[in-house]
Amino acid sequence: MAQQEVDDAHGKDLAAESQVEADKSSQETAQSQLELARAKRQHDQVLFDYAKITAPFSGVVTERYANFGTLMQAGTSSRTQAMPLVRLSEDGTFRLVIPVPESYVRYIHVGDPVAVRIPSLNENYPGKVARFSVDVREDTRTMHTEVDIPNSGGHLIAGLYAEATITLEHKASALAVPLQAVSHHGSSTSVYVVNGNRIEERPVNLGIQNENEAEVVSGLKDGDTVIVSDRASLKPGQEVRPQAVELMQYKASKEE
């Protein structure tokens, strides 16, 4: 083979290598332009996302604060007084806040059933104690208690007044007296009992109370005759002739 043919082949090989290097450089340039285009697309997507308002949870818009064309201030800072656009309400579950009196705090437990009635809707709903503050407020002497009410049917409306009945404790056979029979003397309580046709004042310890009755923990036994009327004109030791009335219920299923 002639030397010139060898030199020609070697020259073509160098030219091919040079072309490969040029193609690699073009590929790197194209890759760089692609990355630049992707960065620009991401930047434009971020700006475009500002045109969408995404709620943090699913719900219903209950109030609108701005109309079409209103200039809205950016709410990107926690110190800004920017006007909100809409008000969103999650109506799948409603929360009922109940101030439980101090004397009933010890009966409250998470998961306790609560019977809720909405007078304006004339409907009843089951609820449960979801949480409570474990702290009694000094001004009201009540404990903040929250009850969750499912609203799968969507009939409940936020802001309605509700009546709630919490089962504090249940006893199948509790000794109870009408509230009219109980006398309060400071921190102590007593009732008038007819013993041998004479009035006897007997101190009692009370348990759970409702709007009509009070549970007697100690001081009375089943069958005692308790005076419920005209107690202001009576005094211990006075002789009387008792008459039974339907208001008196010695044994009752205590539920409040």
Side-chain angles (χ1 to χ4, degrees), residues 23-93:
D23 292 341
K24 288 182 179 180
S25 178
S26 299
Q27 182 183 9
E28 292 176 356
T29 301
Q31 185 67 31
S32 177
Q33 292 177 349
L34 177 61
E35 295 296 333
L36 181 62
R38 287 177 177 175
K40 187 177 183 305
R41 179 183 179 278
Q42 185 177 1
H43 176 267
D44 293 341
Q45 183 64 44
V46 172
L47 294 179
F48 180 75
D49 288 341
Y50 280 109
K52 299 179 181 179
I53 300 176
T54 304
F57 54 85
S58 300
V60 178
V61 175
T62 58
E63 190 168 356
R64 186 179 63 179
Y65 298 94
N67 295 319
F68 182 76
T70 302
L71 180 62
M72 301 295 296
Q73 182 181 356
T76 55
S77 174
S78 60
R79 295 175 296 177
T80 184
Q81 298 297 326
M83 178 181 65
L85 180 61
V86 295
R87 180 179 181 180
L88 189 66
S89 176
E90 184 181 5
D91 57 359
T93 301

Side-chain angles (χ1 to χ4, degrees), residues 29-255:
T29 301
Q31 185 67 31
S32 177
Q33 292 177 349
L34 177 61
E35 295 296 333
L36 181 62
R38 287 177 177 175
K40 187 177 183 305
R41 179 183 179 278
Q42 185 177 1
H43 176 267
D44 293 341
Q45 183 64 44
V46 172
L47 294 179
F48 180 75
D49 288 341
Y50 280 109
K52 299 179 181 179
I53 300 176
T54 304
F57 54 85
S58 300
V60 178
V61 175
T62 58
E63 190 168 356
R64 186 179 63 179
Y65 298 94
N67 295 319
F68 182 76
T70 302
L71 180 62
M72 301 295 296
Q73 182 181 356
T76 55
S77 174
S78 60
R79 295 175 296 177
T80 184
Q81 298 297 326
M83 178 181 65
L85 180 61
V86 295
R87 180 179 181 180
L88 189 66
S89 176
E90 184 181 5
D91 57 359
T93 301
F94 275 80
R95 180 172 301 156
L96 182 63
V97 179
I98 303 175
V100 176
E102 178 183 4
S103 57
Y104 297 148
V105 166
R106 60 194 177 101
Y107 298 106
I108 301 299
H109 305 88
V110 173
D112 287 347
V114 180
V116 180
R117 173 173 172 77
I118 311 297
S120 59
L121 300 179
N122 194 25
E123 293 185 4
N124 299 322
Y125 295 88
K128 291 184 178 181
V129 175
R131 62 195 66 83
F132 51 88
S133 62
V134 199
D135 180 30
V136 176
R137 295 178 58 91
E138 295 183 0
D139 53 348
T140 61
R141 308 308 302 170
T142 58
M143 182 180 68
H144 183 96
T145 304
E146 296 181 356
V147 177
D148 286 347
I149 306 172
N151 185 35
S152 57
H155 300 294
L156 287 175
I157 303 174
L160 294 178
Y161 284 98
E163 300 174 355
T165 302
I166 304 178
T167 301
L168 301 179
E169 189 178 18
H170 180 82
K171 293 184 179 179
S173 179
L175 186 65
V177 296
L179 291 180
Q180 298 94 317
V182 181
S183 299
H184 297 273
H185 309 282
S187 59
S188 62
T189 54
S190 64
V191 297
Y192 280 168
V193 178
V194 179
N195 187 5
N197 291 335
R198 293 190 178 275
I199 298 176
E200 174 187 344
E201 185 176 11
R202 189 174 299 177
V204 294
N205 294 323
L206 302 181
I208 296 178
Q209 302 179 29
N210 59 22
E211 66 275 8
N212 299 317
E213 300 172 323
E215 177 192 7
V216 179
V217 178
S218 62
L220 290 178
K221 64 180 181 298
D222 189 11
D224 287 340
T225 304
V226 180
I227 298 177
V228 297
S229 63
D230 198 22
R231 292 182 298 115
S233 61
L234 302 176
K235 59 182 179 180
Q238 184 176 353
E239 186 175 353
V240 294
R241 287 183 300 175
Q243 293 182 356
V245 294
E246 295 181 0
L247 179 64
M248 300 179 68
Q249 298 178 2
Y250 294 105
K251 278 194 174 183
S253 177
K254 293 299 297 173
E255 183 173 328

